Amino acid sequence: MRALLLDMCVDRRHAAPAFLALAPGDCITEWIPADADDADILALARRLDRILVTEDADFGDLIFRDRRPPPPGVIWVLTQRIHKTDRTQRLAALAPKALALAEGHFVVTGPTTCRRRPLPLQ
C-alpha cells in the first residue's frame, strides 16, 4: 500500500485518524496551503506518488471530466452522509477496505460501503 496525502478538507477528528492509523510511512497533511487549487493538490499527489484522501467531489470532475492525470489512487470520504455520533466508528471500519481498493481507482466511501471506479490510464 502506498503512503497517503490528506487533502486539507479531510475531517481531522473522524476521517483523518481512521486513515492515518493504517497508512504506511509518513502521511503528508501539512504541505497543502489553505488556498491551494484542487488541480495543484492532484498534481502534488501524483508527483509524490501518494493516494489522495479527500472530502472534495471536485477531484472526480478533474480526473474524469477534465481528464487531468490522476495520482495512484483517490479516496473520496463522504462524512456528511454519516451521523456525527457514528463517524469515528464507521470510518474506522471503512478505511481498511477503502485503502485496499484505492490503488488505480477512485474509491467512494459511503455510510456503510465503498465503491470504486478505475482511474483513466495515462
Side-chain angles (χ1 to χ4, degrees), residues 57-104:
D58 294 340
F59 290 100
D61 291 338
L62 287 171
I63 293 168
F64 295 107
R65 184 192 66 207
D66 299 345
R67 303 200 184 281
R68 298 283 180 120
V74 177
I75 299 173
W76 179 25
V77 183
L78 300 175
T79 57
Q80 70 274 16
R81 294 188 180 175
I82 303 171
H83 192 275
K84 288 180 182 182
T85 59
D86 296 334
R87 281 186 189 162
T88 301
Q89 181 180 356
R90 291 250 182 113
L91 291 171
L94 289 169
K97 183 174 183 182
L99 287 169
L101 296 173
E103 187 76 30

Side-chain angles (χ1 to χ4, degrees), residues 10-86:
V10 174
D11 183 318
R12 297 295 192 246
R13 291 171 296 158
H14 305 287
F19 288 94
L20 291 174
L22 302 169
D26 67 327
C27 186
I28 299 173
T29 58
E30 61 278 343
W31 287 12
I32 303 173
D35 62 346
D37 182 74
D38 288 343
D40 293 336
I41 296 168
L42 194 64
L44 177 63
R46 191 177 56 258
R47 188 171 61 253
L48 296 175
D49 197 36
R50 292 176 180 257
I51 292 173
L52 176 64
V53 180
T54 186
E55 291 188 33
D56 186 345
D58 294 340
F59 290 100
D61 291 338
L62 287 171
I63 293 168
F64 295 107
R65 184 192 66 207
D66 299 345
R67 303 200 184 281
R68 298 283 180 120
V74 177
I75 299 173
W76 179 25
V77 183
L78 300 175
T79 57
Q80 70 274 16
R81 294 188 180 175
I82 303 171
H83 192 275
K84 288 180 182 182
T85 59
D86 296 334

